[in-house]
Amino acid sequence: MRLRLRPRDDSYYEMFTDSANNLVIAARLLVELMSDGADREAITEKMRACEHAGDDATHAIMRRLNKSSATPIHREDIYRLASNLDDVMDSMEAAVDLIGLYELDRLPKGIIDQIEVLERAAELTAEAMPRLRDLEDLTRYWIEINQLENQADRIYRKLLARLFSGEYEALTVLKLKDVIEELETAADAFEHVANTVETIVVKSG
């Protein structure tokens, strides 16, 4: 059993878990967006609500951090983890917003592969956040997230190759590129979350 020299404050872990659960909802909205007959306007509004909820959760963590004289893990890691989780949400919301703003009726099939990676990363992250309390059984989490990010990179490169294959008009290429880059940025941000978790675990050793 690890000896704790700092006061236990479970509220941070609860807030991290809330933020991660919100990412699961957002990722599933992305999946829903790709389904036939999806109500894109309604999904966009739900995603914006998720983004606002994510901002509220991040601000709550920052307010608590500013008022805390002692924290269960290093202050900079709390700040970094909250920011990383928020970055994921921002990129997913941006992708959905761009699809609507650009009026993209036809999306490359490879985008669903990107989204499925994000959905799995969100689920793994939501499962991992409660385990921060005891810093147990987290190694597999960041290994799997790193593997997913590598998979996301491969999908992203294939999508870029398709965009520049001549199949799409030049303006459509630019619009689709913006969307797939936001989804790739979300995958990168999930890896940043996992890297921060790994840092927290290493520092506790």
Side-chain angles (χ1 to χ4, degrees):
M1 181 178 294
R2 184 178 287 112
L3 178 64
R4 290 184 178 273
L5 300 179
R6 297 186 179 201
R8 187 181 185 107
D9 184 352
D10 285 347
S11 63
Y12 285 108
Y13 308 121
E14 291 166 2
M15 287 188 282
F16 287 140
T17 299
D18 288 343
S19 291
N21 286 335
N22 191 49
L23 295 180
V24 174
I25 295 171
R28 289 173 181 168
L29 285 171
L30 278 170
V31 174
E32 184 180 347
L33 186 72
M34 296 296 292
S35 64
D36 293 334
D39 186 339
R40 289 190 172 183
E41 185 174 345
I43 292 170
T44 299
E45 287 303 314
K46 290 178 183 177
M47 184 65 86
R48 286 175 182 160
C50 278
E51 196 273 335
H52 292 322
D55 282 345
D56 289 344
T58 302
H59 294 323
I61 292 170
M62 298 308 179
R63 285 194 300 269
R64 186 165 192 84
L65 189 58
N66 288 335
K67 294 177 182 179
S68 299
S69 58
T71 56
I73 55 181
H74 291 278
R75 299 175 67 86
E76 65 269 22
D77 293 327
I78 292 174
Y79 176 84
R80 188 177 299 112
L81 185 54
S83 297
N84 294 156
L85 290 165
D86 191 54
D87 288 344
V88 178
M89 184 68 251
D90 286 346
S91 291
M92 289 199 288
E93 190 272 336
V96 170
D97 200 35
L98 287 171
I99 289 169
L101 290 172
Y102 287 160
E103 299 180 346
L104 292 168
D105 295 326
R106 188 168 71 97
L107 297 170
K109 290 182 179 179
I111 286 183
I112 190 61
D113 297 327
Q114 280 189 299
I115 291 170
E116 287 175 352
V117 167
L118 294 179
E119 183 182 27
R120 180 58 182 153
E123 291 168 350
L124 288 170
T125 301
E127 292 168 5
M129 289 301 105
R131 299 203 297 273
L132 281 173
R133 286 182 173 88
D134 300 310
L135 300 175
E136 300 291 345
D137 301 321
L138 286 163
T139 303
R140 189 63 199 164
Y141 157 66
W142 65 69
I143 290 174
E144 290 188 16
I145 291 293
N146 288 337
Q147 291 171 343
L148 285 171
E149 198 279 330
N150 290 336
Q151 181 181 345
D153 283 345
R154 291 191 294 271
I155 295 167
Y156 171 70
R157 289 191 292 266
K158 287 181 181 178
L159 277 167
L160 279 184
R162 183 175 176 186
L163 287 185
F164 291 103
S165 67
E167 178 180 349
Y168 299 93
E169 295 181 356
L171 185 57
T172 302
V173 168
L174 294 176
K175 292 176 179 180
L176 289 172
K177 188 171 181 287
D178 281 350
V179 173
I180 69 172
E181 283 183 345
E182 286 294 350
L183 295 173
E184 171 66 6
T185 299
D188 289 341
F190 269 122
E191 186 176 41
H192 297 159
V193 171
N195 290 343
T196 299
V197 169
E198 182 178 9
T199 297
I200 292 169
V201 173
V202 169
K203 285 182 179 179
S204 72

